[in-house]
Amino acid sequence: MHLGCGRASRREIVVALLVIAGLWHFSDVIWFEPTEFERLERWMNHDALRSDVYTTYTQSSFDWSSVRHSNRPKVLTALPKPLSDDAMPTVQHCFENETPDEARVRIARLTEVRRLFQANWASYRRFAWGKDALMPVSGGAIDQFSGWAATLVDSLDTLWIMGLREEFDEAVAEVARIDFGRSTSPRVNMFETTIRYLGGLMAAYDLSGRGVLLRKAVELGDLIYAGFNTENGMPVDFIDFEAAKRGDVLQVEERVVSASPGTLSLELAHLSQLTGDAKYYDAASRVMDVFYRAQNSTELPGAWPIWVSMKHQDLTTGGAFTLGGSQDSLYEYLPKMHQLLRGGDGKYETMAKTFLETADKYFLFRPMLPGGEDILLPGNVNVLDGGAELDPETEHLACFVGGMFGLAGKLFDSPADVERGAKLTSGCVFAYRAFPTGLMPERLDTAPCASRSRCPWNEVLWMQERDARAEWQRHLPLGFTTAKDPRYILRPEAIESVFYMWRLTGRAGLQDDAWDMFRAVANGTRTEHANAAVLDVTRKADPLPMEDYMESFWLAETLKYFYLVFSPPDVISLDDFVLNTEAHPFKIPR
Ligand SMILES: *[C@@H]1O[C@H](CO)[C@@H](O)[C@H](O)[C@H]1NC(C)=O
Ligand SMILES: *[C@@H]1O[C@H](CO)[C@@H](O)[C@H](O)[C@H]1NC(C)=O
């Protein structure tokens, strides 16, 4: 039985099923332990589940599709025709059978992850039901994303993937009543609303087939589309809720971070794929055309600056560049758009490849370490008077780049990029291990080596680097020159890359890395009710100092990635799904 080995024909599937049936009887190769996973529904598209018997749909109090767009284009850009099936490579590694011992270890780990998720979900249900976020220390609740139950919507697909069917049904019934005609805040954040809510609804629909989820996704998609009701068709960063309802032409902000307009494409393209209505894809496509035209004319050709102006369609002015927050998902979506559209629009391949080359050349560096580890970390780049300078600051947020390089390397048949992805992933895993809590700080610095091939430890040089930094502290591990922001706020990016590299390469050690990370995270962030952001991971303490806050991405992303690392590789296969930047899997249409 080879799992995740490309696309199987009908005949191959029949043969494989017979083989599986045989194995089930005559050998002790196990992929699932029925007792522990009785309720785990592996056949995600089972017909009986495609009904909405449990839910009654309640329409939102305002119909966002009724908003008249003043400058809507006469002709909409339609979804492009995909390339032929064999023009797109498969990306997942061809996994061999696991031994009974491997299966036992893996299933025990999977079970632990699932238990922790269940405990968190029970607390959200008890203390924060229908609210955006649980307060994990006090057992309170808060709304910070318009009050549409962000954690609930963000968790739907994780519930489904973990086979928590009763909890899923109960959550869907709640989703069916969400009112997108009201918001707890007067301004709606386009980026967060798109990646968390719209992404969450569509992925849950893709997995479960529940029609009510698509209806709510369309209601919300029309709200987001109202954010494009502007003079030049570019999106606003924040939607003025009441003005948008009135159909006013909205004012595009002077300056926004580039990830904000640059991270709408995957979700809006998928909404067009699901509905057949081209207007969503058209809106996103116009934005990405602006990015495309600017890419080679920036201060650092191939990359876009942190700050851009959609109002003036100026994406070239500015000398500060990062792979971390403010830019991350803009880059992440380039290869993912190529995969979701199945190569249909060549500009994503061009943008992705051009960017990867620039990223490799300017942003990635090998840190100088006492153990001589051959790893890479992502930094920032500043361009002054035409000269590009590396700023060796690594953010936890930037840890997604390992997975991005890996996925792009597979999609574009570039083994060197897969290798870079592996070294970047090792870089973040190293940063977790290096600190006494087993957790990586939110932001840190190391001393870069000039060469990636030879990087001997030089203690004097390191001392010079660290003494040049006011933030250095005596207790930091050797090799680190700062832990500027010493928190760990339940972020997923490091385990995300471990998940990608595991599914893409099947390399030994990755599951053990994931398990070490899981234990450190689960233990270090545990509260009475759930898990919380911690304030300082650079010093051991029991318990660690905490913040009464649990972001919805903890359940949507972090625990999902941990779970998927220990799942059979055909669960959310990367050949069938593209995950958005909030870890919501979109089914690639065939
Ligand atoms: C940008 O430059 C790359 C070569 O570095 C090229 O392949 C690509 O087509 C250029 N993009 C545009 C929009 O001209
Ligand atoms: C759990 O965390 C505490 C506090 O950091 C630490 O003292 C303890 O050793 C950890 N336990 C495990 C099993 O890692």
Side-chain angles (χ1 to χ4, degrees), residues 523 540-542 544:
N523 179 33
K540 246 183 150 41
D542 196 13
L544 293 173

Side-chain angles (χ1 to χ4, degrees), residues 81-384:
K81 204 169 143 323
L83 298 181
S84 71
D85 269 351
D86 23 304
M88 291 293 286
T90 56
V91 297
Q92 281 217 152
H93 172 72
C94 204
F95 284 90
E96 301 291 323
N97 279 344
E98 57 186 351
T99 67
D101 275 347
E102 285 166 350
R104 234 184 323 275
V105 170
R106 182 179 63 73
I107 289 167
R109 292 170 172 179
L110 188 71
T111 308
E112 279 302 305
V113 178
R114 189 165 178 268
R115 278 207 190 107
L116 184 63
F117 178 91
Q118 282 177 293
N120 272 259
W121 183 255
S123 289
Y124 172 75
R125 188 173 175 279
R126 180 166 164 216
F127 298 110
W129 189 251
K131 297 282 186 185
D132 284 346
L134 166 71
M135 297 170 77
V137 177
S138 60
I142 49 162
D143 283 325
Q144 84 280 48
F145 294 119
S146 299
W148 299 319
T151 295
L152 187 144
V153 175
D154 230 1
S155 303
L156 289 168
D157 51 16
T158 313
L159 288 167
W160 184 272
I161 291 166
M162 293 189 179
L164 300 167
R165 198 51 42 82
E166 279 167 36
E167 290 86 340
F168 180 81
D169 290 341
E170 187 184 33
V172 171
E174 187 67 23
V175 171
R177 308 184 319 130
I178 294 177
D179 185 359
F180 291 117
R182 289 172 210 280
S183 165
T184 54
S185 56
R187 285 156 24 103
V188 172
N189 184 319
M190 277 283 264
F191 169 80
E192 300 288 357
T193 303
T194 300
I195 65 166
R196 299 192 200 216
Y197 286 113
L198 183 58
L201 291 170
M202 289 192 296
Y205 170 72
D206 277 349
L207 295 177
S208 70
R210 300 275 170 82
V212 69
L213 296 168
L214 183 57
R215 291 173 86 169
K216 282 292 166 190
V218 171
E219 286 185 7
L220 181 62
D222 288 334
L223 192 174
I224 290 165
Y225 187 64
F228 288 84
N229 185 16
T230 59
E231 206 73 57
N232 62 4
M234 293 295 114
V236 296
D237 207 20
F238 282 86
I239 300 175
D240 179 331
F241 204 65
E242 294 308 320
K245 276 187 181 173
R246 287 194 301 269
D248 295 357
V249 174
L250 303 177
Q251 298 302 312
V252 180
E253 295 84 352
E254 275 295 326
R255 270 179 11 138
V256 295
V257 295
S258 51
S260 200
T263 313
L264 307 171
S265 55
L266 206 66
E267 290 79 4
L268 293 179
H270 197 50
L271 191 54
S272 285
Q273 289 177 334
L274 292 179
T275 59
D277 186 341
K279 71 180 183 188
Y280 312 107
Y281 174 73
D282 170 75
S285 193
R286 268 180 282 144
V287 175
M288 294 319 291
D289 283 341
V290 177
F291 276 91
Y292 179 65
R293 286 196 296 269
Q295 187 175 18
N296 291 343
S297 319
T298 66
E299 297 280 327
L300 188 68
W304 296 271
I306 293 180
W307 292 98
V308 295
S309 173
M310 302 318 286
K311 180 174 180 175
H312 306 291
Q313 300 192 31
D314 172 6
L315 282 69
T316 58
T317 308
F321 300 81
T322 180
L323 303 183
S326 309
Q327 297 220 257
D328 43 10
S329 42
L330 155 66
Y331 297 124
E332 173 191 344
Y333 276 15
L334 301 175
K336 288 183 173 180
M337 277 297 279
H338 172 79
Q339 197 185 14
L340 187 71
L341 301 177
R342 296 190 18 233
D345 183 346
K347 74 173 181 273
Y348 293 101
E349 179 168 356
T350 304
M351 283 192 282
K353 286 179 168 170
T354 307
F355 161 68
L356 288 177
E357 209 180 307
T358 297
D360 176 43
K361 193 159 168 204
Y362 295 101
F363 291 80
L364 311 188
F365 67 92
R366 180 171 170 180
M368 184 177 69
L369 297 167
E373 286 82 357
D374 187 8
I375 57 175
L376 292 174
L377 288 174
N380 303 326
V381 175
N382 296 306
V383 179
L384 288 168

Side-chain angles (χ1 to χ4, degrees), residues 46-68:
H46 198 289
D47 280 342
L49 300 164
R50 290 186 166 273
S51 72
D52 284 296
V53 285
Y54 314 96
T55 48
T56 351
Y57 163 72
T58 313
Q59 198 165 6
S60 287
S61 60
F62 181 77
D63 177 8
W64 287 99
S65 70
S66 70
V67 173
R68 234 194 95 256

